Amino acid sequence: MSTIAVVGVGLAGVRAGEALRAQGHDGRLVMIGEEAVEPYDRPPLSKQVLLGTYEACDIALTDTASRAELDAEWLLGTRATAFDPVTRHLTLSDGQSLHAEGVVIATGARARTLSGVPELDSVHTLRTLDDARRLRDDLSRPGRVAVVGGGFIGAEVASAARALGHEVTIVEFEQMPLLRQLGSAAAGVLRRLHTDHGVALVTGVSVTGLVGRDRVQAVSLSDGRSLPADVVVVGIGAVPNTEWLAGSGVALDNGVLTDEWCRTTVPGVVAAGDVAAYRCRGGRRLRIEHWTNARDMPATAARSLLATLRGEDPVEQPAHDPLPYVWSDQYDSHLQIAGRPDADDALELVSGSFDSGFVAVYRRDGAVTGVLAVDSPKEFGRLRRELRGTWATR
Amino acid sequence: MIQLCSVEELTPGTVTRIARPDLPAPLALVKVGDRVFCIDDTCSHETASLSDGWLDGHEVECPLHESRFDVRTGRPDCPPARRSIRTHAVQLVDGIVYVEESSVAAEEPAR
């Protein structure tokens, strides 16, 4: 009876555990989670949890019935600190050693922080439930909020802070939010969403320092200006949690390198979710931090791992190569993006108008590379399906 | 019984939304073969309208976050939705679709 350890119990870890059981693993299953709380879903952290409409129980990824079905040993509040590929022992933060024939790496990513600035109480990143609670507490008092980074997290936090009545400013390094990801036409739409809702944008600048003693008072900007702020939220991306794998033989390069079947360079070790930098068809490496990837990738990882443990060739199983999909709720608008457009791909309106709800497609050399929609879920769904068809056969 | 629409108004392969002042909650109707299924139109996860979603056999996919609900049981197949949506028994009388009034009566959300 083999032991499989799932390291990390965010969405990818929980889905990996469920997939392992669904695909027939009847041995020991150990779920190792750094946080001492039951697994939870992250998208609501920057929305409903900040607004106070959801509590922890509303974002649980498991319940009594699903945990019973999973029949796993849970080591919560415990981190894996090392893995020895020869003895196949995981070292845990509480000093325990765990022998596992199979390992699923699902340690995700942590929020990137500003470097070279003092640590102040009212400066936040947002990645965990604890983060969200602390930020919610700070947002329960009146004050000026500065959001560093105009990406999805920044935009959603700005939106929530505004809804709570705060004066909000977004500081964005590019000239427009998500300019490098979505191009100027789409970034212009997002910029207008912010300004229409009374959120100020300071663009083309970076943060050079934070002013304050215990709590922040102002943000120093690269153009010499000082932006007064009582609360600062830093949303400048995420760093994959791979340090514990140093010396394990698991190849790393901005994440855990895997092939199309989620296999790492160590046999019997697979990776899934935000931490996995997988190779898709054509050899391109992708580390996707989208929720849907964390939901869907573990099925491939589990299939592949079980095949390896049975002595079969995982390559006969389906590879992981989905059409990327991400959504974001900002103010009262719902954004949906499918595919992998480049910022300089041509954006062509399919229906609606950039001033309100619309669906548009990105094209490169005539071929659709992505679909973008604001408040048009039905039409988006149709075009996403068409794109999925060409994606699968490209 | 509440009269909803005629069977002829339901196009196979699509989800038809019925939202009216006399209905406590918006409903979605689906015709699969000779049978008509009635579910709540609002996804149990957030506020998406399932009639904007995709129908594949007996499953309706939420247009926002892709959870699929079985129209026969109301059960979702994967996260983010975890709670089932309500299903409502319909009656077909002379080509007209009816639903039981008590079945669609407003209920407090489970949360």
Side-chain angles (χ1 to χ4, degrees):
Chain A
M1 192 173 84
S2 64
T3 296
I4 297 179
V6 176
V7 188
V9 297
L11 178 64
V14 169
R15 293 283 286 174
E18 290 171 348
L20 286 164
R21 285 296 189 220
Q23 293 170 23
H25 174 59
D26 53 6
R28 190 179 174 209
L29 178 62
V30 185
M31 307 286 292
I32 302 163
E34 179 173 12
E35 294 168 68
V37 295
E38 303 287 349
Y40 58 88
D41 205 16
R42 291 182 204 281
L45 295 181
S46 55
K47 315 172 188 84
Q48 295 92 338
V49 174
L50 283 189
L51 292 172
T53 51
Y54 281 12
E55 295 300 331
C57 58
D58 300 311
I59 61 171
L61 280 175
T62 60
D63 54 28
T64 313
S66 68
R67 280 195 297 274
E69 206 170 312
L70 194 58
D71 188 22
E73 292 164 45
W74 292 85
L75 301 178
L76 298 180
T78 309
R79 248 171 350 105
T81 55
F83 175 63
D84 183 330
V86 179
T87 62
R88 302 200 74 84
H89 273 85
L90 281 161
T91 308
L92 306 180
S93 54
D94 60 5
Q96 273 191 74
S97 179
L98 175 73
H99 183 263
E101 281 81 19
V103 175
V104 180
I105 300 169
T107 40
R110 62 182 179 274
R112 190 185 298 280
T113 52
L114 290 171
S115 58
V117 298
E119 280 190 25
L120 300 171
D121 287 345
S122 52
V123 177
H124 302 260
T125 53
L126 179 51
R127 189 80 191 174
T128 66
L129 184 57
D130 271 353
D131 293 342
R133 284 173 169 154
R134 278 195 294 265
L135 178 56
R136 186 171 68 185
D137 283 350
D138 260 3
L139 292 178
S140 67
R141 293 181 288 271
R144 290 157 301 188
V145 177
V147 177
V148 183
F152 290 137
I153 290 282
E156 292 182 359
V157 168
S159 168
R162 189 71 192 131
L164 292 168
H166 297 281
E167 189 184 303
V168 183
T169 304
I170 293 175
V171 179
E172 167 58 46
F173 179 72
E174 300 287 340
Q175 293 301 327
M176 285 191 277
L178 292 166
L179 181 65
R180 272 185 308 119
Q181 292 83 357
L182 299 180
S184 57
V189 171
L190 300 184
R191 179 179 57 187
R192 203 165 48 242
L193 264 184
H194 292 302
T195 52
D196 283 354
H197 289 83
V199 167
L201 274 160
V202 179
T203 57
V205 295
S206 55
V207 172
T208 55
L210 296 173
V211 180
R213 195 169 294 239
D214 298 320
R215 298 180 64 84
V216 74
Q217 290 170 340
V219 178
S220 308
L221 304 176
S222 54
D223 61 1
R225 276 186 290 173
S226 179
L227 176 70
D230 305 292
V231 177
V232 171
V233 186
V234 179
I236 54 172
V239 187
N241 293 318
T242 58
E243 286 79 0
W244 65 283
L245 291 163
S248 68
V250 172
L252 309 171
D253 182 8
N254 180 34
V256 174
L257 299 184
T258 81
D259 64 8
E260 298 93 315
W261 292 272
C262 307
R263 292 181 298 182
T264 71
T265 47
V266 172
V269 179
V270 295
D274 291 11
V275 77
Y278 70 94
R279 187 179 61 204
C280 55
R281 270 177 298 174
R284 195 168 168 195
R285 283 233 167 256
L286 293 175
R287 189 172 66 76
I288 297 183
E289 292 177 351
H290 299 162
W291 185 95
T292 30
N293 192 59
R295 181 187 64 185
D296 297 337
M297 194 173 183
T300 305
R303 218 166 20 238
S304 170
L305 178 59
L306 292 177
T308 302
L309 293 179
R310 284 193 304 262
E312 296 164 8
D313 189 355
V315 172
E316 289 164 14
Q317 310 285 340
H320 180 67
D321 188 23
L323 174 71
Y325 170 53
V326 63
W327 75 84
S328 177
D329 298 319
Q330 302 175 16
Y331 309 102
D332 298 323
S333 288
H334 197 87
L335 270 69
Q336 297 174 281
I337 304 162
R340 272 200 98 70
D342 282 326
D344 56 353
D345 292 351
L347 187 62
E348 180 188 301
L349 203 60
V350 175
S351 66
S353 100
F354 285 136
D355 295 328
S356 53
F358 67 89
V359 180
V361 294
Y362 288 91
R363 280 181 202 277
R364 169 167 293 246
D365 301 329
V368 174
T369 56
V371 183
L372 167 69
V374 173
D375 296 328
S376 308
K378 191 170 188 135
E379 184 73 350
F380 174 83
R382 189 179 67 74
L383 289 166
R384 179 176 55 165
R385 267 184 171 66
E386 285 182 18
L387 181 56
R388 193 180 279 160
T390 58
W391 206 263
T393 58
R394 77 191 190 278
Chain B
M1 300 288 275
I2 305 175
Q3 183 175 334
L4 295 180
C5 66
S6 84
V7 178
E8 285 174 3
E9 290 171 60
L10 304 177
T11 313
T14 65
V15 188
T16 302
R17 177 182 158 97
I18 309 224
R20 293 192 317 226
D22 62 325
L23 289 171
L27 300 176
L29 292 177
V30 169
K31 185 168 181 287
V32 185
D34 292 335
R35 294 193 62 189
V36 174
F37 298 91
C38 180
I39 55 177
D40 277 352
D41 183 52
T42 307
C43 181
S44 64
H45 169 235
E46 283 182 3
T47 52
S49 174
L50 292 175
S51 52
D52 283 342
W54 195 266
L55 183 68
D56 186 4
H58 285 95
E59 293 198 310
V60 179
E61 185 185 88
C62 171
L64 298 190
H65 307 143
E66 302 179 310
S67 291
R68 287 163 159 253
F69 296 90
D70 190 313
V71 296
R72 296 165 295 192
T73 62
R75 275 195 214 107
D77 73 325
C78 70
R82 288 176 300 272
R83 284 186 290 115
S84 294
I85 50 168
R86 298 186 303 169
T87 58
H88 310 287
V90 299
Q91 280 190 31
L92 303 184
V93 182
D94 296 334
I96 304 292
V97 183
Y98 295 88
V99 68
E100 192 73 48
E101 202 163 342
S102 60
S103 173
V104 296
E107 66 172 24
E108 284 297 305
R111 272 201 315 109

